[in-house]
Amino acid sequence: MNRPTRRKFLKQVAAGGVAASITISGTKSSGQVLGANDRVRVAVAGINGRGKIHMAVFGGMKDVEVTHLVDPDSRLFKSRSALVEQQTGKKPHCVQDIREALDDASLDAVSIATPNHWHALMTIWACQAGKDVYVEKPCSHTIVEGRRMVEAAQKYNRIVQHGTQWRSDPKWQAYTTDIREGKYGKLQTANIQIFRPRTSIGFKAAVPPPRELDYDLWTGPAPMKPFRTNLVHYQWHWMWDYGAGEIGNLGAHEFEMARWAMPENADPKSVVSLGGRFGYEDQAETPNTQLTLYDFGDAKLVCQQRGLHFDKPLRMGIDFHTDEGTIKDGKFYPRGKKTGEVIEGAPLSGLPENYARAHFQNFVDCVRSRKSEDLASDMLDGHRTGVVAHLGNISYRLGEKTSFNNSPKGLSENQIAAESFDEMKRHLVDAAGINLSNATYQLGPTLQFNPQTEQFHDSPEANQLLARPSRSGFELPNVNS
């Protein structure tokens, strides 16, 4: 799949262009360029949280219709259907199984806001059915899933947009272009901070699922486990069977921008990750505190994630350290100076809603034009970003408990990473009152990764985590076999 050029801003394409060469019968979007007034019919899958944004944005677009709402939990249908009808005057068709929507020949696209473990299968099924796809971050649950999604988008000539909305922000485009092209010196280390408090999910006993919830369908390709009330609808993020923790949740946004500031073809070559769940005990599995170091060759990437309460309860940002200074919070601090120079037009932290809307609009424009090269974040970009998150989690999951008295050797060679470990320890003392002298953390191995083959060097254990077994009836298709 062609990826968008980074040296010019990704334009919003008008209607028109060259028709796709591969046609899948049965849908009006399968191979033709849609006219400016042709209605784009969209199914929104996953309608509890983020899906409500999808419904509202698509519902507010001219000549776009939300025709289907898809969710295994039918308890949501009445209220969500009413929202769409109130906004558009038309009542959507509500189904629990995405395959029912895909059977509708008039459907053009699927917008996916389901739990992560459904992203790949739903995307591939939609591509096979001749539908275009907008899929939330992270695009996949494993590295193999992401690669299969890229292959499906290519084989079936589908428009597939990854839901990292900063890609459609002209300020971030200019900001990262200047960094990549050396305006502030040669990039050495990008330092991501994701500081967002996450409370305990507690302990819940296994109970029968609500009769309105098709729990077998909700589980889908994941292993079948007993239903608990702290899984549906949001806490699945912190369970390995369904989510990727914070590094795959909010981290996907930051990884996309950090990658955009690096050289065009920069990919991670090694990774080491550490952390744990601190401050409380519960049934969640992913770390609420995590520190990961990536080697991209000429540049390094540090990702700090903190999920306990502290003085400033929310920060999503990236500091860029170059051989000439530091770029932080919209200012450039030349080396040796404490006063920063304001960068005119620098993006702010957070995600203004108009940029999110622009990202959805970019997708619809490309559905009309059939020009995947104009996507702000296509499937290959989404996969490359997903790989970064998955690598960090694979190292962490293979880790062993070690005393805080032992500094992680894998991080000591990078000053930013070493300082971040010291800051993490101070955070744990301040936020959770942890006595570090008798506490432990999980330290993962330093893994060498080949981005061309998407395999680890000399680590069969890590390669086992590149994919996962699929449950019967929900197998991941191999579109190239």
Side-chain angles (χ1 to χ4, degrees), residues 66-108:
V66 178
T67 59
H68 295 74
L69 299 182
V70 184
D71 202 291
D73 191 351
S74 63
R75 293 173 296 181
L76 300 169
F77 288 167
K78 182 178 180 180
S79 62
R80 301 305 189 265
S81 179
L83 290 175
V84 174
E85 189 172 14
Q86 181 180 13
Q87 182 183 22
T88 67
K90 294 185 177 182
K91 188 174 184 178
H93 185 48
C94 296
V95 297
Q96 290 180 295
D97 193 329
I98 183 63
R99 288 166 288 194
E100 293 186 45
L102 296 179
D103 284 341
D104 187 336
S106 69
L107 184 68
D108 297 298

Side-chain angles (χ1 to χ4, degrees), residues 45-53 55 70-71 73 76 80 113 232-234 236:
I47 58 175
N48 179 63
R50 179 67 184 164
K52 291 174 65 177
I53 302 297
M55 291 157 47
V70 184
D71 202 291
D73 191 351
L76 300 169
R80 301 305 189 265
V232 181
H233 276 279
Y234 188 81
W236 54 263

Side-chain angles (χ1 to χ4, degrees), residues 19 98 104 111 269 314 319 334-335 347 383 422 448:
I98 183 63
D104 187 336
S111 190
K269 298 173 175 58
L314 177 61
D319 303 337
R335 182 159 293 186
H383 171 55
D422 290 336
Q448 305 299 319

Side-chain angles (χ1 to χ4, degrees), residues 191-193 195 247 271-276 278 287-294 301-306 392-393 395-396 408 411-412 414-425 441-444:
N191 181 17
I192 292 172
Q193 303 102 42
F195 301 162
I247 197 173
V271 61
V272 57
S273 188
L274 59 86
F278 301 102
N288 64 15
T289 305
Q290 189 173 9
L291 174 60
T292 309
L293 172 64
Y294 303 87
L301 173 60
V302 175
C303 182
Q304 305 178 60
Q305 179 251 313
R306 301 178 191 171
N393 280 334
S395 174
Y396 173 83
L411 273 67
S412 60
N414 182 274
Q415 181 181 352
I416 304 300
E419 292 174 352
S420 297
F421 180 66
D422 290 336
E423 293 170 1
M424 186 187 91
K425 290 192 292 183
Y441 65 98
Q442 187 157 312
L443 175 60

